[in-house]
Amino acid sequence: MPKAIRSSLMAGKPKLYYFNGRGRMESVRWLLAAAGIEFVEEFLETREQYEKLLQDGALLFQQVPMVEIDGMKMVQTRAILGYIAAKHNLYGKNLKERALIDMYVEGTRDLMDLIRVHHKFSPEEQEKNLALINERATARYFPVYEKVLKDHGTEFLVGNQLTWADVQLIEAILMVEEKVSTILSKFPLLQDFKTRICNIPTIKKFLQPGSQRKPPPDESYVVTANRVFNRK
């Protein structure tokens, strides 16, 4: 790569390659937004766009999401998020805090994965999945975060400042609330957490209409993904 182009990549805003929808890129958008980092996006809409990325060697494992950042073409969502969190002081102050953040992030990811696939199901399957989301949120995951907040005794899940764990938890809470609006009714500390985190200026901005936050997936999103990946 010519030096001038490489320097431009390193100096520029992160560039996100994905569909115009949530999927696995949405957590990356959330984390960048929480850190106050502006980013640009290239939405994949055609098979040709995807094939060009493959031909250029931009997709290490032939998958998106892909993020151009600091001269790298990063793939694998967990690696992308970890890099952003570490770079922007959202990954704790020591190894122990990082371990806690990793545990909490993985818990919320398990819950979010149930929601990510919801739109792919038939109406009957969606009804069953909705019951599963409700059960897992109220009986497995949210009680843990409620207890963490109580035991830790600060405004955040880890340490005394915002971390990746907080950002991903608020993303998960809002995703679940789209499916079950009363999901936090038995979790007063999580209700307070939601209010606090949503009022952090960078996050409040991301939650405003017209931001780069994406709506829940619809049929158009599915059609586009199928076209790009050549699915039947």
Side-chain angles (χ1 to χ4, degrees), residues 47-64 228:
R47 178 71 183 177
E48 288 72 27
Q49 284 176 287
Y50 175 65
E51 288 179 345
K52 186 176 188 310
L53 289 172
L54 292 174
Q55 292 164 6
D56 292 346
L59 304 180
L60 189 63
F61 300 110
Q62 302 176 28
Q63 298 169 315
V64 289
V228 169

Side-chain angles (χ1 to χ4, degrees), residues 44 94 100 102 119 129 197 228:
L44 301 184
N94 54 51
L100 290 171
D102 285 340
H119 67 280
N129 193 55
I197 302 301
V228 169

Side-chain angles (χ1 to χ4, degrees), residues 62-101:
Q62 302 176 28
Q63 298 169 315
V64 289
M66 190 271 280
V67 176
E68 283 185 347
I69 184 169
D70 296 341
M72 298 182 289
K73 290 180 170 63
M74 292 197 70
V75 295
Q76 297 297 333
T77 311
R78 183 69 170 73
I80 295 167
L81 290 166
Y83 181 81
I84 293 167
K87 179 177 180 178
H88 298 291
N89 198 28
L90 294 167
Y91 210 176
K93 296 176 180 177
N94 54 51
L95 192 58
K96 183 178 179 180
E97 287 193 357
R98 286 193 173 197
L100 290 171
I101 290 166

